[in-house]
Every structure is written in C-alpha cells, then in structure tokens.
Amino acid sequence: MIPSGARRASLLACNADVLVTMDGARREIRGGGLYAEGNRIAAVGSAGELPQTADRVLDLAGHVVVPGLVNTHHHMFQSLTRAVPSAQDAGLFGWAAGRGGGFSNPDHVLALTLIYRFSTSKALPQVFP
C-alpha cells in the first residue's frame, strides 16, 4: 500500500499505431497513448493531449493497444482443451464429445482450474505487435 501523500510512479505509453478505448464513443485513436499514475489510467488520447514526460516512457510504435479484457464466464478447467486436436474448431456439441468425458474426474478439474488461475493472475492490458 502506498502511504498517504506519497508520490506514485507515472507511465507514458505513446505513439501506438492504434489505441482502442472501448469508451462510449468506441474511439480508436491513431498515434494514441495513455498516461498512468500508480495503478490508475489518468488519461488516454493523442500525443498532444497527454503529458510529454513520465517516470517511464514506452514507445508503442508498430503496436495496437487494447484494454485488458475480462472473461466473465469461463469454465476454468477448459483452459487446456485448446490444445486438444479433437476439440479445436469444433462447435459446442462437437467440443463436448471431443473431450470424451476426460474431465469428469474432480481432481483433474481442480488441477486444471488451479493452473488456469495461476496462469491468468497477472492479467494486464494487452499490447499486440
């Protein structure tokens, strides 16, 4: 926890090919960036709308920035089925048949759930080259 009145580190991520805001206007800002203080995004916009300095500056030229997306409905034990050939590119019922009941063991479901939990515990906004 940061003590009251303590200065928070700042971050300027700038020059992204496109910054997708997902705000009410669904803006896509070409050459955009964001300015953050501590764990809070303080501003998004074009280069002229953002501070010009920060404790850390990231040049995101050649990248697309999108908000970190939160999957609000996911069966965590399914996290490893993406690598099962019979489940790939299958519709819902094909996927269910493709797993062949292999995840009906409660210990397996728990293990897969824990793997998923730890693999996603550091979720951050995504930057794609």
Side-chain angles (χ1 to χ4, degrees):
M1 184 165 170
I2 297 174
S4 178
R7 187 178 164 286
R8 295 178 176 225
S10 60
L11 168 72
L12 175 63
C14 55
N15 303 320
D17 284 0
V18 178
L19 180 133
V20 180
T21 65
M22 298 304 288
D23 62 7
R26 298 289 197 245
R27 293 178 300 150
E28 294 181 4
I29 305 169
R30 303 231 177 258
L34 65 87
Y35 179 77
E37 294 175 336
N39 63 355
R40 185 179 73 83
I41 296 175
V44 296
S46 63
E49 299 172 307
L50 299 173
Q52 299 302 301
T53 62
D55 295 319
R56 184 171 181 198
V57 178
L58 299 176
D59 184 350
L60 298 179
H63 293 78
V64 173
V65 179
V66 297
L69 304 176
V70 176
N71 182 351
T72 60
H73 179 97
H74 188 81
H75 301 272
M76 291 185 249
F77 69 88
Q78 296 171 342
S79 63
L80 298 181
T81 61
R82 296 178 293 212
V84 177
S86 62
Q88 294 173 352
D89 299 322
L92 175 60
F93 295 109
W95 174 85
R99 66 188 177 118
F103 300 115
S104 59
N105 179 319
D107 291 334
H108 295 169
V109 171
L110 175 61
L112 291 170
T113 299
L114 291 173
I115 290 168
Y116 176 84
R117 165 62 179 92
F118 289 112
S119 70
T120 59
S121 64
K122 298 287 186 183
L124 297 171
Q126 303 297 305
V127 177
F128 299 100

